[in-house]
């Protein structure tokens, strides 16, 4: 019954928007709001290009945070890595993200999206390429930290940037496209590792030794480099321009989008004037003056005082709720996600040592962890016959991608909040079921559904956050939520090796408890379905 009411309300909201747009065509001189202006651009080629750009950009964060999980498999002998070293390498990227979250969010909300997206992605590519030169643990730690320091801002801003080119009808769908791309990148990454890691690609250059995992790191930097180049050819967000009072520039962007989508000349765009959104922004945020009327240096100088409203009513409690949900969600998902390849490696090693025989997941983990870890370089052995690791990781990524596709299909009919709650409940159930897995197949299936639920939850939560906050605070709010969440992910990856060593129960029940708390907190989120972007 509730779903039917929501559906009727959504239809009413859509009808109101269409009616306003129709009246706008009759009276073109009346200033149009952003929502009316973006609907008038229609949906077409430009939006499809944005979808491909969103897909490419979404690869970067997954690659930055996940490459180490596959590098460990081939590089643990070359770099003499212990279990705690692996936890440190998984965590250090998140430490970089935490360090820069507030700065990036502030800069994107004050200076705009496009230029900083270009700079951010290109800098990230440089630091990924720097990691290729790694000959020991210190340089790898520094480069991974710098990658996290840079990529945190562009990742949060991409969600805001893409949303600000779409009306309420398409915004949740595009966030799910980004989520599906994240899952697809989780398929691409192990596939790349499978093609490269087992190969004998050792060579010397300038007194430095390079191996297959160095080549893997090099290729993983290409999405960031290509994303930075692509953003050069895209305009600034029209929503941001309107918020800054630069309506003439915003109108040109709308005309360009309309022309690309329809094939008509830009002059035929039906909207001729845009509403002054700076007044509503001032009233909503409680400060005087607008970024568009200030010089950039002045905007930077006064920017922090403009962020004060995010901690006050009506945004303060929504920010607190958003941060807590991101904390438990991101901590739970990434504690286990980044260690799955290592767990699959332990399963493979057990089968190799036991003539292909398998056992319950906990039995295999306990046996592997009881083996001596302190080995010399001569004693250290890399098992290159480990295709099962990559196949299992591809299965996990494919399941997550399917989950996001299903969620993207249903989100308009069911609503964001309900999908978010159901996905978190599924994640809670199946991560705990891993402890009871009696065969590797059951463990892989349970981990796949857990990751799928976590992926859907994360992407829907970003979509919710986009709708909860106004333009001048949106990127900051998302960045702060992600900062808190990644703080949890960093801490989680520090403690996960100790949880593994303490016994099989702790990792799965601890992660399950985090997901359960996140699910309960989502019940407090206000409904934002089909509401205009503030």
């Amino acid at each position: 019954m509730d779903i039917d009411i929501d559906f009727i309300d959504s239809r009413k909201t859509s009808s109101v928007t269409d009616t306003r747009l129709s009246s706008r065509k009759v009276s073109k001189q009346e200033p149009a709001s952003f929502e009316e202006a973006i609907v008038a651009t229609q949906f077409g080629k430009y939006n499809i290009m944005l979808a491909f750009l969103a897909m490419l950009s979404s690869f970067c964060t997954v690659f930055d945070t996940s490459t180490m999980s596959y590098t460990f498999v081939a590089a643990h002998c070359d770099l003499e890595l212990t279990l705690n070293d692996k936890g440190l390498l998984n965590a250090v990227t998140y430490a970089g993200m935490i360090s820069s979250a507030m700065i990036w969010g502030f800069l994107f909300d004050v200076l705009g999206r496009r230029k900083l997206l270009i700079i951010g992605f290109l800098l990230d590519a440089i630091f990924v390429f720097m990691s290729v030169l790694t000959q020991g643990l210190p340089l790898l730690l520094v480069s991974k930290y710098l990658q996290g320091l840079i990529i945190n801002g562009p990742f949060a801003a991409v969600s805001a940037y893409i949303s600000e080119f779409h009306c309420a009808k398409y915004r949740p769908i595009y966030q799910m496209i980004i989520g599906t791309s994240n899952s697809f990148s989780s398929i691409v990454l192990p596939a790349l590792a499978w093609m490269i890691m087992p190969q004998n690609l050792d060579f010397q250059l300038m007194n430095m030794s390079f191996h297959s995992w160095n080549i893997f790191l090099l290729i993983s930097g290409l999405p960031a480099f290509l994303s930075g180049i692509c953003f050069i050819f895209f305009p600034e967000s029209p929503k941001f321009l309107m918020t800054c009072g630069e309506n003439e520039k915003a109108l040109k962007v709308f005309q360009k989008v309309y022309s690309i989508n329809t094939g008509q000349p830009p002059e035929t765009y039906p909207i001729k004037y845009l509403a002054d959104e700076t007044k509503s922004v001032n009233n909503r945020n409680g400060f005087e003056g607008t970024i568009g009327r200030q010089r950039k240096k002045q905007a930077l100088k006064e920017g922090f005082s403009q962020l004060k409203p995010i901690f006050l009513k009506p945004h303060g409690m929504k920010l607190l709720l958003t941060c807590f949900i991101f904390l438990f969600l991101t901590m739970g998902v990434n504690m286990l996600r980044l260690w799955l390849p290592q767990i699959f490696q332990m399963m493979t090693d057990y089968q190799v040592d036991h003539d292909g025989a398998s056992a319950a997941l906990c039995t295999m983990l306990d046996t592997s962890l009881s083996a001596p870890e302190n080995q010399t370089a001569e004693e250290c052995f890399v098992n290159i016959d480990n295709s099962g690791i990559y196949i299992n990781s591809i299965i996990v990524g494919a399941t997550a991608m399917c989950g996001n596709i299903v969620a993207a299909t249903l989100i308009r009919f069911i609503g964001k909040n309900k999908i978010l709650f159901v996905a978190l409940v599924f994640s809670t159930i199946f991560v705990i079921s891993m402890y009871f897995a009696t065969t590797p197949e059951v463990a892989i299936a349970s981990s796949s559904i857990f990751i799928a639920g976590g992926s859907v939850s994360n992407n829907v939560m970003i979509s919710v956050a986009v709708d909860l906050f106004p333009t001048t605070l949106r990127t900051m709010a998302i960045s702060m939520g992600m900062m808190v969440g990644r703080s949890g992910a960093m801490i989680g990856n520090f403690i996960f090796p100790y949880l593994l060593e303490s016994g099989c129960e702790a990792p799965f029940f601890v992660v399950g408890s985090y997901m359960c708390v996140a699910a309960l907190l989502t019940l407090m989120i206000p409904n934002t379905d089909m509401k205009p972007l503030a």
Side-chain angles (χ1 to χ4, degrees), residues 49-308:
M49 290 191 294
L50 276 178
F52 281 109
L53 181 59
M55 291 171 63
L56 180 63
S57 301
S58 66
F59 275 39
C60 303
T61 301
V62 176
F63 278 27
D64 280 356
T65 58
S66 305
T67 48
M68 286 297 98
S69 300
Y70 300 100
T71 303
F72 296 155
V73 175
H76 72 272
C77 288
D78 296 323
L79 300 178
E80 300 180 6
L81 298 176
T82 65
L83 197 63
N84 291 333
D85 290 335
K86 295 173 183 179
L88 183 61
L89 280 168
N90 273 336
V92 73
T93 305
Y94 290 103
M97 291 177 171
I98 296 163
S99 304
S100 64
M102 294 288 289
I103 299 172
W104 274 118
F106 163 69
L107 290 176
F108 274 106
D109 282 335
V110 172
L111 301 180
R113 323 303 197 202
R114 177 180 169 273
K115 289 181 181 179
L116 292 176
L117 282 168
I118 296 169
I119 294 170
F121 280 120
L122 291 180
L123 279 176
D124 181 58
I126 290 171
F127 292 133
V128 175
F129 296 149
M130 185 175 83
S131 70
V132 177
L133 304 176
T134 294
Q135 300 296 301
L137 184 61
L139 179 59
L140 191 56
L141 283 171
V142 171
S143 62
K144 295 304 294 182
Y145 174 82
L146 291 174
Q147 289 171 43
L149 189 76
I150 294 299
I151 198 59
N152 186 58
F155 176 72
V158 163
S159 296
Y161 180 86
I162 298 296
S163 296
E164 291 167 3
F165 275 94
H166 294 89
C167 62
K169 179 180 179 181
Y170 293 108
R171 278 195 295 273
I173 296 174
Y174 263 73
Q175 189 54 55
M176 297 313 299
I177 288 174
I178 294 175
T180 304
S181 302
N182 286 338
S183 302
F184 181 62
S185 64
S186 298
I187 299 173
V188 173
L189 193 62
L192 285 174
W194 191 9
M195 287 190 293
I196 297 170
M197 294 296 195
Q199 306 302 319
N200 184 10
L201 301 175
D202 298 350
F203 63 94
Q204 296 281 331
L205 183 64
M206 298 175 62
N207 295 322
M208 292 188 292
S209 299
F210 294 92
H211 312 279
S212 58
W213 56 266
N214 297 92
I215 306 302
F216 172 66
L217 292 177
L218 176 66
I219 294 174
S220 71
L222 293 179
F225 177 75
L226 294 174
S227 295
I229 297 299
C230 288
F231 270 108
I232 295 174
F233 302 99
F234 282 78
E236 180 57 273
S237 156
K239 177 62 176 175
F240 179 82
L241 292 172
M242 289 181 69
T243 304
C244 294
E246 299 182 9
N247 283 6
E248 291 185 7
K249 292 182 179 179
L251 186 59
K252 289 181 179 179
V253 174
F254 286 128
Q255 290 173 341
K256 180 179 180 180
V257 174
Y258 171 80
S259 178
I260 294 174
N261 282 343
T262 64
Q264 300 297 319
E267 296 77 17
T268 61
Y269 177 60
I271 303 297
K272 301 303 179 184
Y273 299 97
L274 299 174
D276 183 3
E277 296 205 351
T278 58
K279 294 180 181 179
S280 61
V281 170
N282 289 341
N283 295 334
R284 188 165 57 240
N285 291 350
F287 62 84
E288 296 182 357
T290 63
I291 298 168
R293 294 169 187 164
Q294 300 170 339
R295 294 182 178 180
K296 296 302 182 183
K297 290 184 179 179
Q298 187 69 12
L300 285 170
K301 197 172 183 180
E302 298 181 5
F304 284 105
S305 65
Q306 296 174 0
L307 295 176
K308 183 180 178 181

